[in-house]
């Protein structure tokens, strides 16, 4: 059951490309690497926290963790996970237990998202 209208791509390089262009203008090219590395760490830690909150059926904990992760994901172009977090957050904020149904989708997106972001740090070739 889809709880959102569209399936966004797992990863959109545009946000990081824009940030990279801005950073280059100001001579701070390391900021993109720092941002992606931070996102990778956040995805690892926060998806575990979301899974634990879901196991406890803690909708408020789920809402808080999804909110925290959503911003990070959108900033680096991890659109599908960002949308899943937005859905979890909105449903949990309403006390709607359907938020728990989105957690498996979020979990399934974890590995493809991590791979897509890792490629940004270590381009092939």
């Amino acid at each position: 059951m889809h709880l959102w209208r569209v399936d966004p791509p797992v990863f959109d390089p545009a946000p990081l490309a824009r940030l990279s262009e801005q950073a280059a203008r100001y001579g701070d090219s390391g900021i993109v690497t720092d941002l992606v590395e931070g996102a990778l760490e956040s995805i690892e830690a926060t998806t575990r926290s979301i899974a634990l909150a879901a196991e406890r059926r803690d909708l408020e904990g789920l809402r808080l963790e999804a909110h925290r992760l959503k911003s990070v994901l959108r900033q680096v172009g991890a659109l599908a996970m960002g949308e899943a977090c937005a859905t979890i957050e909105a449903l949990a904020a309403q006390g709607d237990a359907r938020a728990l149904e989105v957690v498996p989708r979020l979990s399934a997106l974890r590995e493809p998202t991590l791979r897509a972001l890792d490629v940004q740090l270590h381009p092939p070739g």
Side-chain angles (χ1 to χ4, degrees):
M1 173 169 135
H2 274 313
L3 297 173
W4 47 88
R5 288 183 214 125
V6 296
D7 280 328
V10 169
F11 177 72
D12 176 5
L16 287 179
R18 282 191 299 273
L19 184 59
S20 183
E21 289 171 11
Q22 291 171 349
R25 281 196 299 260
Y26 296 104
D28 189 8
S29 60
I31 193 168
V32 173
T33 299
D34 293 345
L35 183 64
V36 172
E37 287 174 347
L40 290 168
E41 291 172 14
S42 187
I43 290 167
E44 293 280 355
T46 309
T47 53
R48 281 193 295 273
S49 297
I50 287 171
L52 290 172
E55 285 177 23
R56 293 189 310 267
R57 300 185 67 80
D58 174 6
L59 293 179
E60 180 59 15
L62 200 57
R63 184 190 68 77
L64 290 170
E65 295 296 334
H67 175 76
R68 178 188 349 234
L69 186 56
K70 175 188 71 177
S71 300
V72 170
L73 294 167
R74 287 181 170 171
Q75 192 172 30
V76 297
L79 301 184
M81 276 190 87
E83 183 64 24
C85 281
T87 302
I88 291 168
E89 179 186 15
L91 290 170
Q94 297 169 9
D96 190 332
R98 290 183 303 160
L100 300 166
E101 297 173 25
V102 184
V103 174
R105 166 85 172 142
L106 181 71
S107 296
L109 289 165
R110 183 178 166 274
E111 288 306 316
T113 301
L114 291 172
R115 282 192 305 272
L117 289 172
D118 190 63
V119 167
Q120 300 306 302
L121 293 176
H122 310 99

